[in-house]
Amino acid sequence: DQQVKQNSPSLSVQEGRISILNCDYTNSMFDYFLWYKKYPAEGPTFLISISSIKDKNEDGRFTVFLNKSAKHLSLHIVPSQPGDSAVYFCAARGYQKVTFGTGTKLQVIP
Amino acid sequence: NAGVTQTPKFQVLKTGQSMTLQCAQDMNHEYMSWYRQDPGMGLRLIHYSVGAGITDQGEVPNGYNVSRSTTEDFPLRLLSAAPSQTSVYFCASSYSAGLAINEQFFGPGTRLTVL
């Protein structure tokens, strides 16, 4: 039972354009959501997070939006840069555990 | 600070062998966890610990044991390796406020192949 889903395994975007990565969840008890970025042969690194009491959080080029009624969150990257090419994982916090999605591989084309 | 360190980086085992994956952190984090990453499956939680002496099972605990005798170390033991345990293993640690886990810091991973 996949509680956190990233339905797009891959995404290609032109440099300078917006990248939108999506994530859906099923457990209404999740209270905190995070995005991680992963380069090949490295561990994931934290990117941005949002509390369930908010609907938007911004950090530079990265913005996360949360729609609780739809159990949906998205990560916007504007403008996209070639260095953003990586796998992005959505994650959701429950009681003592964090559940990850399957990841979306973003390719930013110069 | 070294952050989260994992050893070894690579390991090849034969079916039935046992081994321990080492994980250490120097950030005085209470919360530590082990994940495995498989193609198309994302990161799946194996075991976690909310503090020294306390461990619990995650989503895929079968075939693995853990212990947490110190705040710094959280080793993962494979009791009798099976080909299904071929994967990349990540250790992570986090500051936790009460029961709320904050952002996790990940190690570089151990790539394990079981023949």
Side-chain angles (χ1 to χ4, degrees), chain A residues 34-37 45-49 59 62 75 77 88:
Chain A
L34 311 96
W35 285 94
Y36 286 83
K37 179 178 180 179
T45 55
F46 170 74
L47 189 57
I48 191 169
S49 61
D59 184 1
F62 303 92
L75 174 68
I77 306 174
Y88 290 79

Side-chain angles (χ1 to χ4, degrees), chain A residues 6 21-23 34-36 46-48 64 73 75 89-90:
Chain A
Q6 293 176 257
L21 291 83
N22 294 304
C23 178
L34 311 96
W35 285 94
Y36 286 83
F46 170 74
L47 189 57
I48 191 169
V64 56
L73 64 155
L75 174 68
F89 289 101
C90 167

Side-chain angles (χ1 to χ4, degrees), chain A residues 11-78:
Chain A
L11 175 68
S12 288
V13 171
Q14 290 287 335
E15 180 179 4
R17 305 294 292 267
I18 184 171
S19 296
I20 300 177
L21 291 83
N22 294 304
C23 178
D24 296 295
Y25 63 95
T26 57
N27 188 341
S28 58
M29 299 302 290
F30 290 144
D31 67 346
Y32 193 66
F33 301 89
L34 311 96
W35 285 94
Y36 286 83
K37 179 178 180 179
K38 185 184 180 304
Y39 292 118
E42 295 183 9
T45 55
F46 170 74
L47 189 57
I48 191 169
S49 61
I50 187 167
S51 166
S52 60
I53 63 173
K54 296 189 175 182
D55 55 17
K56 177 182 175 181
N57 187 27
E58 219 170 329
D59 184 1
R61 296 186 297 113
F62 303 92
T63 303
V64 56
F65 295 92
L66 175 62
N67 183 333
K68 279 187 68 176
S69 60
K71 293 190 175 68
H72 177 83
L73 64 155
S74 61
L75 174 68
H76 292 208
I77 306 174
V78 183

Side-chain angles (χ1 to χ4, degrees), chain A residues 11 13 37-40 77 81-88 105-110:
Chain A
L11 175 68
V13 171
K37 179 178 180 179
K38 185 184 180 304
Y39 292 118
I77 306 174
Q81 299 174 353
D84 296 329
S85 297
V87 176
Y88 290 79
K105 185 174 184 179
L106 173 65
Q107 181 184 18
V108 180
I109 303 165

Side-chain angles (χ1 to χ4, degrees), chain B residues 7-79:
Chain B
T7 55
K9 285 192 181 301
F10 301 95
Q11 183 71 49
V12 179
L13 292 178
K14 293 181 179 178
T15 297
Q17 287 185 314
S18 62
M19 79 159 295
T20 298
L21 279 63
Q22 301 292 344
C23 174
Q25 53 94 5
D26 61 358
M27 296 172 282
N28 202 32
H29 287 165
E30 299 94 338
Y31 187 89
M32 295 187 74
S33 55
W34 277 101
Y35 293 87
R36 59 178 288 174
Q37 183 191 9
D38 302 292
M41 303 292 287
L43 293 161
R44 292 183 293 168
L45 182 64
I46 304 171
H47 285 285
Y48 65 96
S49 168
V50 299
I54 306 169
T55 65
D56 207 341
Q57 296 181 351
E59 184 185 355
V60 287
N62 292 342
Y64 308 96
N65 271 358
V66 291
S67 59
R68 184 95 179 269
S69 56
T70 66
T71 299
E72 294 78 20
D73 300 299
F74 191 43
L76 178 72
R77 296 184 191 83
L78 279 70
L79 308 173

Side-chain angles (χ1 to χ4, degrees), chain A residues 36 38 43 93 95-97, chain B residues 31 37 48 99 101 104 107:
Chain A
Y36 286 83
K38 185 184 180 304
R93 184 179 76 184
Y95 176 71
Q96 292 190 338
K97 299 178 188 179
Chain B
Y31 187 89
Q37 183 191 9
Y48 65 96
L99 298 175
I101 309 156
Q104 295 184 81

